[in-house]
Amino acid sequence: MELPSFAPFPQANLKKEIVPEEWEMCINAWILLAQGHLLLTRDAFSLKISKDPSVVDFLSCYVEANARDLHTNFDSKSILLKRTCFLLVHRCLTESKRKPPQFVTWQFLSDFCILYAKSPSLNTLLQDVWQSEDLGSKFQKHRSSLTQELENAANNKEQSDLDTTLERTGAFLRSCPGYGQFLMLGSDFIDALSALYDRAEDVFLRKRLVALSYRCFSALMHSSKPKFSMLLDHLYGLNSSKKQNSLLLALCSSTPFVRILRDQITGPDAVRGEKLIQDLSILEGTGTFPPKRRKAARSRAEKGKGIEKDEYGHGALDGGVHVHKMSLVTQVQDLFPDLGSGFVIKLLDEYDDDTEQVTAHLLDESLPPHLKSMDRSEALPQPQSQSSTDLVPNLQPQATPSPLPVRRNIHDNDPFDRLTISPSQIHRGRKSSPQTADTVLQDRSSAPNKAAILSALAAFDSDDDERDDTYDVEDVGGTVDTAMPGSDEVDADLRDKNEEALFRAYRMSPEVFERDAATRRGQARMALRSETGMTDEAIEGWGIMLGRDPRRLRRLEAKFEVFGGQQQRQLDKTSFREGSGTEESDRGEGSSGRARGGGFRWRGRGARGGNVAGPAEDRETQIARQRKDVNKGGRANHNRRDQRAKKMARAGFPG
């Protein structure tokens, strides 16, 4: 089923002739038809827009009529129609294959910005449309006509539509930064604004011109690619003539432009504009624009002290207005002295106590209808007489409790605590004991018996360790005899005999304790079983435990390997010998070794074929004695003396 066409939205003069009942029926029909168009698919919606021009005509008439008549109070039905019309325009500009030509004109977009100034998605929509449709090339004629209109007004020529044009331009600049960059491409537009500002006498016109220039400069700073170079060029051009009533002076003194520029500019442009920003900071100080408030570093902890607060948690001053809000009212009144305090408070309530938004809307003359119709000179209401806040007037004052904590113990309220004890009952130490420290130390009646101490030491075995439960039956892999032997002498002798027999067998042949079947059937194992009376598992477990406990092995060696007086046939050598490793026992043989210092020295008797202790008639003995006599005078004991002197000198001791 195809949707019917829209009836055009009536103008203001025709709307007054429609009775309320019929007007409500028209609004219901438009809402139902608009919602039906919103439910169409993307392709169906594009086809409907291209074939049925009534949708575009209705939306154009609706935007134009309501943008010119903002003082109308919208009821719930009108608000719903306004929302559905915004969704229809949004869908036409974003989903249509070919955007309607009526929607990309300056007149429609500016009226659309005025009507939906508070919409959160308006800026994004206009920015996308500006980039996708390349509106800059289509608005060249509009830019020229706007500049010409400003120049004619500066030359004292009557311009009947100047206020409407400036209002549309300001609304479009507020919602679309791309439009501001387009107007600032050349210096003719900003020069026309400056010339008109110098010659204008109307205060509201001057404020509107300052707001337009502020929006244009802000568009250059807050875009995706800031154009600080173009911004500095325009500022240098305006700064060439510093008149008292120039546009630049008003821009710097009544708007946060200089502060934002100082925070935003970076890179080479900051170096270039450093001197200019310093000059503008001087102009900024001549105005009354409130400085940026710094937020508190941290909030103080609530201590339960302070004056009485109202229902919103604020302190009261002059009729229940918070002190902070009164300071904001003063800041706004510094810029607009003709505004009353009551009207300014309503503006702050509308814009969440944001003085910058209040100032911008006042400069743009873009206040909501309910604020435009109010009395701007409205003052604060007179403070009411405060009633007594004493909820319990007959309450008697009580003593302040001690802030220190109170500790309780079992000695509370005793004679010492109440200070009622007699001094005769107080004493130090024992009350009736004649003993002193010396008498107590000399009294040996309660001292331990020396014989008991010696008997306990004699019974103590330092080699006896605790039972090692590291290796149990699971680790051994067999059955271990864990039966504790008796304490009588027979059991002790039997245990020593078995342990000695096992140790002897272990020292002679550890293979007897293997756990294979061949070893268990061998003669050595059978003899060991018959001698000790132990099972194969017990014998094998004893061997495993002995191999894992070196301390036990050393104790058994010290216990059973006792020297029995046998003759020692051979002594093992203990000194190191280089070569074959055998020590010469023959006196006629010599051995060679490396001496300290790196050279070889022959040692032993008969080192060079002779010995001084040999037979006197032996020729080699005589040669050895002669060699000794020759070297004795040269060395003797002098080498030892000299070496000692070197060591003492190197160590730093005298000698």
Side-chain angles (χ1 to χ4, degrees), residues 344-573:
V344 175
I345 287 178
K346 293 179 180 179
L347 292 177
L348 293 173
D349 293 338
E350 179 71 18
Y351 297 105
D352 297 331
D353 294 343
D354 192 348
T355 56
E356 293 187 7
Q357 288 193 26
V358 172
T359 305
H361 283 283
L362 287 173
L363 293 174
D364 295 344
E365 289 295 329
S366 58
L367 296 177
H370 64 281
L371 292 177
K372 278 188 176 182
S373 59
M374 291 182 180
D375 183 14
R376 297 200 172 198
S377 60
E378 181 182 355
L380 282 176
Q382 295 296 328
Q384 301 177 358
S385 59
Q386 297 182 359
S387 59
S388 176
T389 58
D390 193 0
L391 301 179
V392 187
N394 299 325
L395 182 65
Q396 297 296 329
Q398 299 291 335
T400 303
S402 176
L404 299 178
V406 180
R407 301 180 61 183
R408 302 289 182 182
N409 54 39
I410 61 175
H411 301 290
D412 288 344
N413 297 324
D414 62 356
F416 277 100
D417 191 18
R418 296 193 307 270
L419 302 179
T420 58
I421 191 170
S422 175
S424 60
Q425 299 177 354
I426 302 175
H427 61 85
R428 293 185 178 181
R430 297 188 177 184
K431 184 175 181 181
S432 60
S433 177
Q435 293 184 349
T436 61
D438 295 335
T439 58
V440 170
L441 293 175
Q442 293 175 0
D443 185 10
R444 306 297 297 176
S445 60
S446 60
N449 190 5
K450 184 176 181 180
I453 297 175
L454 294 178
S455 61
L457 292 176
F460 175 72
D461 186 5
S462 61
D463 294 332
D464 188 12
D465 296 335
E466 297 180 356
R467 176 183 176 273
D468 188 4
D469 57 352
T470 305
Y471 309 103
D472 291 335
V473 178
E474 292 80 3
D475 297 329
V476 173
T479 303
V480 180
D481 188 6
T482 58
M484 295 297 294
S487 59
D488 53 342
E489 296 180 357
V490 178
D491 293 339
D493 294 341
L494 180 61
R495 183 171 65 255
D496 290 342
K497 290 181 180 180
N498 292 342
E499 196 169 29
E500 183 178 3
L502 292 171
F503 177 71
R504 297 295 183 189
Y506 185 83
R507 295 292 291 177
M508 293 177 60
S509 177
E511 293 80 5
V512 179
F513 296 89
E514 294 293 336
R515 300 167 59 186
D516 53 355
T519 305
R520 291 182 177 181
R521 292 193 298 268
Q523 295 294 332
R525 176 65 68 84
M526 295 175 61
L528 192 58
R529 285 199 302 268
S530 61
E531 182 179 0
T532 59
M534 298 171 62
T535 61
D536 289 332
E537 289 80 2
I539 295 173
E540 294 169 358
W542 186 92
I544 292 174
M545 298 301 294
L546 183 63
R548 294 181 179 181
D549 191 358
R551 293 183 298 176
R552 185 179 181 185
L553 179 60
R554 289 193 296 270
R555 288 198 302 268
L556 293 177
E557 289 177 351
K559 185 176 182 180
F560 298 115
E561 287 189 357
V562 183
F563 180 71
Q566 295 87 353
Q567 184 178 1
Q568 186 174 1
R569 299 181 180 274
Q570 184 179 0
L571 289 176
D572 296 335
K573 63 180 180 179

Side-chain angles (χ1 to χ4, degrees), residues 220-245:
L220 296 177
M221 291 187 295
H222 295 96
S223 61
S224 58
K225 295 182 180 180
K227 300 181 179 181
F228 290 111
S229 179
M230 183 187 302
L231 175 64
L232 294 177
D233 292 340
H234 290 303
L235 291 178
Y236 275 116
L238 293 176
N239 197 31
S240 59
S241 59
K242 301 177 183 177
K243 297 182 181 180
Q244 187 65 24
N245 59 349

Side-chain angles (χ1 to χ4, degrees), residues 2-8 33-34 37 40 43-60 88 92 96 98 100-103:
E2 186 176 358
L3 294 174
S5 301
F6 275 91
L33 192 56
H37 282 76
L40 295 176
D43 297 336
F45 183 79
S46 300
L47 183 61
K48 179 67 176 178
I49 294 299
S50 60
K51 289 185 177 182
D52 188 5
S54 63
V55 180
V56 178
D57 295 339
F58 166 76
L59 293 175
S60 301
L88 278 178
C92 291
S96 298
R98 183 175 178 274
Q102 297 91 328
F103 287 177

Side-chain angles (χ1 to χ4, degrees), residues 3 6 28-40 80-81 84-85 87-88 91:
L3 294 174
F6 275 91
N28 292 333
W30 284 326
I31 292 174
L32 184 61
L33 192 56
Q35 291 177 350
H37 282 76
L38 292 176
L39 294 177
L40 295 176
L80 181 58
L81 178 61
T84 53
C85 289
L87 296 176
L88 278 178
R91 194 169 186 184

Side-chain angles (χ1 to χ4, degrees), residues 83 86 90 116-126 175:
R83 186 180 299 112
F86 178 82
H90 189 283
Y116 297 101
K118 293 186 178 181
S119 177
S121 58
L122 177 63
N123 296 353
T124 305
L125 173 63
L126 293 182
S175 303

Side-chain angles (χ1 to χ4, degrees), residues 106 110 114 142 146-147 149-150 153 161-177 179-184 189-194 196-197 203-221 231 234 238 247-248 250-251 254-255 257 359-366:
W106 178 81
S110 59
I114 294 174
H142 154 70
L146 178 61
T147 304
E149 189 174 357
L150 293 175
D161 298 335
L162 181 61
D163 292 339
T164 304
T165 303
L166 293 180
E167 182 182 2
R168 286 181 168 183
T169 305
F172 203 179
L173 283 172
R174 184 172 57 251
S175 303
C176 184
Y179 178 60
Q181 297 179 10
F182 165 72
L183 293 179
M184 299 293 286
F189 177 74
I190 196 66
D191 292 340
L193 285 178
S194 179
L196 180 58
Y197 185 86
V203 178
F204 293 101
L205 179 58
R206 283 193 166 193
K207 292 180 179 179
R208 182 165 288 177
L209 294 176
V210 172
L212 286 178
S213 60
Y214 174 72
R215 293 295 180 185
C216 291
F217 284 121
S218 299
L220 296 177
M221 291 187 295
L231 175 64
H234 290 303
L238 293 176
L247 180 63
L248 184 61
L251 178 67
S254 60
T255 64
F257 169 70
T359 305
H361 283 283
L362 287 173
L363 293 174
D364 295 344
E365 289 295 329
S366 58

